């Protein structure tokens, strides 16, 4: 699975494109041999040294899908932890409300705001590079995928993210998780897309048109999520009509349909919100 659109990157940052990674489905990285050894057969030429395979044979053993039966990687192959960018560490001290333990989406123009707020402290080029790295990080993309608003230097929400920014950050987060997890994450991703669609307030056709890209697997997950959302919306709309016609209060109605009162109330609220949104769109149509 690849991502076909840009990610959320603060203005004036030189964000490099994210390198492709494996699909959201539970597969091993493409550079790793797959089950059965297709494309990278296991060599057995007598040069293996001991159970751990020695230095030369490391990486030649097959890695079974889902990680079962995978050989233990040699210790020397483990990548060292990446040191933190010193400018990002400095930003966490200068502006912990945005760059501290809990990240927040950054407003557009945050680069200029930071330079103006800390003259002589932050250097323009290193700040630009640090913000680009920050915007590509999984931690930041996870915050963007949550759909929170953009925040200023005081930690105040000032503007909304676009549905496209939320959607593509969500796809990228799950793509990265899928590269590390033996679990098939597509069902969870479909549910997250469904929630992002409902939060966007867009009609289904417009959402699909704006989100579809070159990755057909992502496109199909998006269509499946919207199909599920449409089916649920139809049920909730029917439930609202039944409630309005019943003349009963919410407790009596939920009991009559065998629903938990909280579930019934949430369904009715979503149906009312959709009806209100449709009423606002009709004059424009």
């Amino acid at each position: 699975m690849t991502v076909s659109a840009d990610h959320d990157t603060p203005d004036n940052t030189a964000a490099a494109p994210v390198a492709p990674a494996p699909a959201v489905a539970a597969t091993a990285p493409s550079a790793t041999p797959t089950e059965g050894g297709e494309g990278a057969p296991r060599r057995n030429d007598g040069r293996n040294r001991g159970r751990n395979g020695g230095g030369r044979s490391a990486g030649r053993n097959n890695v079974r899908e889902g990680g079962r039966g995978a050989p233990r990687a040699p210790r020397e192959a483990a990548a060292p932890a990446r040191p933190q960018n010193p400018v990002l560490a400095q930003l966490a001290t200068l502006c912990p409300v945005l760059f501290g333990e809990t990240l927040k989406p950054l407003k557009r123009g945050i680069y200029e705001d930071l330079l103006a707020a800390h003259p002589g402290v932050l250097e323009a080029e290193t700040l630009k590079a640090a913000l680009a790295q920050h915007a590509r990080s999984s931690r930041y993309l996870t915050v963007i995928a949550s759909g929170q608003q953009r925040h200023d230097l005081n930690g105040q929400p000032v503007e909304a993210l676009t549905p496209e920014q939320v959607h593509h950050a969500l796809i990228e987060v799950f793509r990265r998780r899928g590269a590390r997890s033996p679990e098939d994450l597509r069902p969870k991703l479909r549910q997250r897309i469904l929630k992002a669609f409902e939060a966007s307030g867009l009609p289904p056709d417009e959402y699909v048109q704006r989100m579809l890209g070159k990755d057909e697997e992502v496109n199909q997950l998006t269509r499946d999520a919207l199909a599920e959302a449409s089916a649920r919306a139809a049920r909730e709309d029917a439930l609202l009509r039944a409630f309005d016609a019943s003349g009963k209060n919410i407790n009596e109605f939920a009991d009559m349909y065998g629903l938990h009162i909280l579930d019934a109330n949430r369904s009715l609220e979503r149906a009312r919100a959709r009806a209100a949104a449709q009423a606002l769109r009709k004059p424009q149509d």
Side-chain angles (χ1 to χ4, degrees), residues 251-273:
N251 292 307
E252 296 170 336
F253 183 79
D255 184 63
M256 182 173 65
Y257 276 82
L259 300 172
H260 191 285
I261 185 171
L262 294 178
D263 293 334
N265 198 44
R266 279 193 291 264
S267 294
L268 294 174
E269 287 178 352
R270 284 194 294 262
R272 292 190 185 101

Side-chain angles (χ1 to χ4, degrees), residues 76-227:
E76 61 269 23
R82 185 176 181 179
Q84 184 180 15
N85 186 309
V87 179
L88 291 178
Q90 186 180 23
L91 289 174
T93 300
L94 294 172
C95 192
V97 70
L98 295 181
F99 299 94
E101 186 67 24
T102 301
L103 303 182
K104 295 186 185 302
L106 305 175
K107 70 177 286 288
R108 290 175 292 180
I110 200 72
Y111 169 76
E112 292 84 359
D113 293 349
L114 284 166
L115 289 176
H118 304 284
V121 177
L122 297 170
E123 195 275 325
E125 290 304 315
T126 57
L127 175 61
K128 182 184 297 185
L131 288 176
Q133 180 183 333
H134 180 69
R136 295 192 301 267
S137 71
S138 294
R139 285 185 66 211
Y140 186 72
L141 288 173
T142 299
V143 175
I144 297 298
S146 71
Q148 299 180 45
Q149 287 189 301
R150 295 180 181 273
H151 292 68
D152 63 16
L153 287 182
N154 296 318
Q156 297 301 312
V158 293
E159 58 183 324
L161 293 162
T162 67
E164 289 90 341
Q165 289 165 342
V166 175
H167 178 84
H168 295 305
L170 184 60
I171 299 303
E172 177 64 13
V173 167
F174 271 81
R175 183 185 69 82
R176 295 182 185 186
R177 290 178 183 173
R180 305 187 304 267
S181 173
E183 179 185 0
D184 184 356
L185 299 177
R186 286 173 293 185
K188 291 181 179 179
L189 175 57
R190 185 173 63 249
Q191 290 301 310
R192 290 291 301 275
I193 293 174
L194 187 155
K195 292 181 180 178
F197 158 66
E198 293 179 336
S200 73
L202 295 174
D205 292 344
E206 183 177 349
Y207 189 89
V208 170
Q209 182 179 8
R210 289 169 62 168
M211 303 308 157
L212 294 189
K214 296 180 180 179
D215 192 320
E216 188 52 40
E217 183 180 9
V218 173
N219 292 344
Q220 189 58 52
L221 282 171
T222 303
R223 295 188 191 97
D224 292 345
L226 266 65

